[in-house]
Amino acid sequence: MFGILKPYPSPLISGRGIDLDFPLLAGCLALLGLGLVMITSASSEVAAVQSGNPLYHMFRHLVYVFLGLVACGATMMVPIATWQRMGFTMLLGAFGLLVLVLVPGIGREVNGSMRWIGFSFFNVQPSEIAKVFVVIYLAGYLVRRQTEVRETWMGFFKPFIVLLPMAALLLMEPDFGATVVMMGAAAAMLFLGGVGLFRFSLMVVLAVLAVFVLVQAQPYRMARLITFTDPWSDQFGSGYQLTQALIAFGRGEWLGVGLGNSVQKQFYLPEAHTDFVFSVLAEELGVVGSLVTIALFVFVTVRALYIGLWAEKAKQFFAAYMAFGLAFLWIGQFLINIGVNVGLLPTKGLTLPFLSYGGSSLVICCACVGLLLRIEWESRTHLGSEEHEFKESDFAEETSHGR
């Protein structure tokens, strides 16, 4: 197989052998390993009751980790120019998936939301795929219409002809959290693409107004907004999940109660191994473990932003915008999930990248790592740069990273 791929060098197959950005890879692998440990701990009680095997979710998560690593390797093999050419096709695919999930009999309803397309042994969450496809399409748009985006109102508004219908489809599921993350990443990409401060400020004001209207439009959203400010006022009702999460943080103190010794995971805290895995982590590993985890997230997201900066300096603007967009997807999900766990934001069904249990989220996160590793490698080797023409002989000798 590797003989077939040899004419197409990649970070995995080149004249220098495996040529990866090891700091980013090490940070992501550390998060994957931590996630596996915490899911094993947080899900053991639930798995024992539901399936009779306390390690049921751990084994499933191992399968997702394997699929994620395969996805990471596969995306590293594909040139960034190929993703750029496929941008519009991927956008259509994202719309198709978001429409399919709303079709009765195809979409699967869980906890009142139609967010998954069910198969025999696993579920696919189209919103996770759609967010990445939107980033890829928007990166291509910013390259094609760079001058128009920076200088005209029309160039600024055109992306919203695509983004608003997609946001509407997400809200129909409903998936308010994914909508906020997608629109936030798109806004950040537009700003980094050169949109003027006045137009960007106007977009922020309109976004805040839109969020206000959306919250007012659905009673359950308003109830969540009111509850999270004082969850103890309805401790055993709408504020139950948040109060149990806060109890987990309180029990953890500085060093935690010890790995596997969480009390809150024993049917007190709902979704302990998915949306609220960070609360169990805080209970078992304490403030110190929580801060180390946050530091890992900060490291990988900042590294992703630097990869975008290096690509921009190499004049690989599509790759740069894509790296920025992927980084902001991670940042958005991280901030919202942690904010929900500590009670700073209303409860949202968003996973914590790399840590939460969930196949779609984990596989897509790993695929994003592969894209970032490919971007870093191409910018460092000048493959695809406007000022360099790639030849196989360029990769024949060993050179240092220089970063």
Side-chain angles (χ1 to χ4, degrees):
M1 184 178 98
F2 290 106
I4 297 174
L5 295 172
K6 190 174 181 180
Y8 308 98
S10 74
L12 292 176
I13 305 172
S14 70
R16 293 193 293 263
I18 297 177
D19 189 18
L20 301 171
D21 182 54
F22 285 103
L24 176 66
L25 182 62
C28 293
L29 288 177
L31 287 172
L32 280 175
L34 180 61
L36 178 62
V37 171
M38 291 315 306
I39 286 166
T40 303
S41 175
S43 67
S44 59
E45 301 295 333
V46 174
V49 171
Q50 292 179 348
S51 67
N53 180 5
L55 300 180
Y56 172 78
H57 288 109
M58 185 202 76
F59 290 132
R60 286 183 64 90
H61 193 73
L62 276 173
V63 174
Y64 297 147
V65 169
F66 172 76
L67 293 175
L69 294 176
V70 171
C72 178
T75 52
M76 272 192 282
M77 305 300 291
V78 181
I80 297 301
T82 302
W83 297 107
Q84 185 172 3
R85 289 194 299 270
M86 293 172 58
F88 184 72
T89 303
M90 299 176 80
L91 180 69
L92 293 179
F95 271 109
L97 288 171
L98 293 179
V99 171
L100 279 177
V101 78
L102 298 173
V103 177
I106 298 179
R108 182 185 176 190
E109 184 174 348
V110 179
N111 296 329
S113 299
M114 296 277 288
R115 300 180 185 176
W116 294 268
I117 296 177
F119 295 92
S120 55
F121 297 106
F122 62 95
N123 298 319
V124 174
Q125 190 170 1
S127 61
E128 295 289 340
I129 302 172
K131 287 183 293 187
V132 176
F133 284 5
V134 165
V135 165
I136 293 173
Y137 171 78
L138 189 56
Y141 174 82
L142 290 173
V143 171
R144 294 191 305 272
R145 306 287 185 177
Q146 190 174 63
T147 303
E148 189 178 354
V149 168
R150 293 179 177 181
E151 298 179 359
T152 69
W153 283 92
M154 185 57 66
F156 169 69
F157 281 119
K158 278 182 180 178
F160 292 97
I161 298 174
V162 171
L163 292 172
L164 292 179
M166 187 162 289
L169 289 171
L170 288 171
L171 291 172
M172 289 171 67
E173 295 183 5
D175 195 344
F176 187 68
T179 307
V180 171
V181 169
M182 183 189 73
M183 297 300 285
M189 291 176 69
L190 286 169
F191 181 73
L192 293 173
V195 170
L197 185 60
F198 175 74
R199 282 177 287 164
F200 183 77
S201 301
L202 177 62
M203 178 177 60
V204 172
V205 171
L206 292 175
V208 172
L209 290 175
V211 170
F212 178 78
V213 170
L214 289 171
V215 168
Q216 294 282 349
Q218 293 290 340
Y220 81 92
R221 292 189 188 127
M222 180 56 70
R224 283 184 177 181
L225 186 63
I226 295 172
T227 300
F228 100 95
T229 59
D230 185 14
W232 303 101
S233 63
D234 191 10
Q235 180 180 352
F236 299 104
S238 57
Y240 178 77
Q241 198 169 28
L242 179 53
T243 56
Q244 297 303 313
L246 294 176
I247 290 171
F249 277 92
R251 292 192 75 253
E253 298 184 349
W254 284 102
L255 298 177
V257 297
L259 189 64
N261 294 328
S262 169
V263 172
Q264 293 306 104
K265 70 181 181 181
Q266 298 178 13
F267 304 99
Y268 291 103
L269 178 60
E271 311 294 341
H273 60 295
T274 55
D275 300 343
F276 282 84
V277 69
F278 189 75
S279 297
V280 178
L281 184 149
E283 183 182 2
E284 296 188 348
L285 303 183
V287 172
V288 174
S290 300
L291 291 178
V292 170
T293 303
I294 291 172
L296 277 173
F297 274 111
V298 171
F299 173 76
V300 297
T301 52
V302 170
R303 188 73 179 182
L305 291 172
Y306 267 104
I307 286 173
L309 181 62
W310 295 331
E312 190 173 31
K313 288 182 177 180
K315 299 187 182 299
Q316 298 175 1
F317 297 110
F318 171 79
Y321 294 139
M322 186 162 68
F324 291 143
L326 296 176
F328 281 110
L329 287 181
W330 286 352
I331 291 169
Q333 285 195 229
F334 164 69
L335 291 177
I336 291 175
N337 185 279
I338 300 295
V340 167
N341 275 255
V342 300
L344 293 176
L345 294 172
T347 304
K348 289 284 110 197
L350 272 180
T351 57
L352 188 59
F354 299 104
L355 258 70
S356 292
Y357 178 80
S360 296
S361 175
L362 186 66
V363 171
I364 292 300
C365 282
C366 291
C368 291
V369 174
L371 289 172
L372 289 167
L373 291 172
R374 178 80 194 195
I375 290 169
E376 189 277 336
W377 180 76
E378 288 197 8
S379 66
R380 178 161 43 85
T381 58
H382 301 291
L383 172 61
S385 176
E386 293 179 358
E387 298 177 354
H388 297 80
E389 183 178 352
F390 170 73
K391 296 179 181 179
E392 174 66 22
S393 58
D394 294 336
F395 301 95
E397 298 180 359
E398 183 75 29
T399 59
S400 62
H401 260 242
R403 290 178 184 165

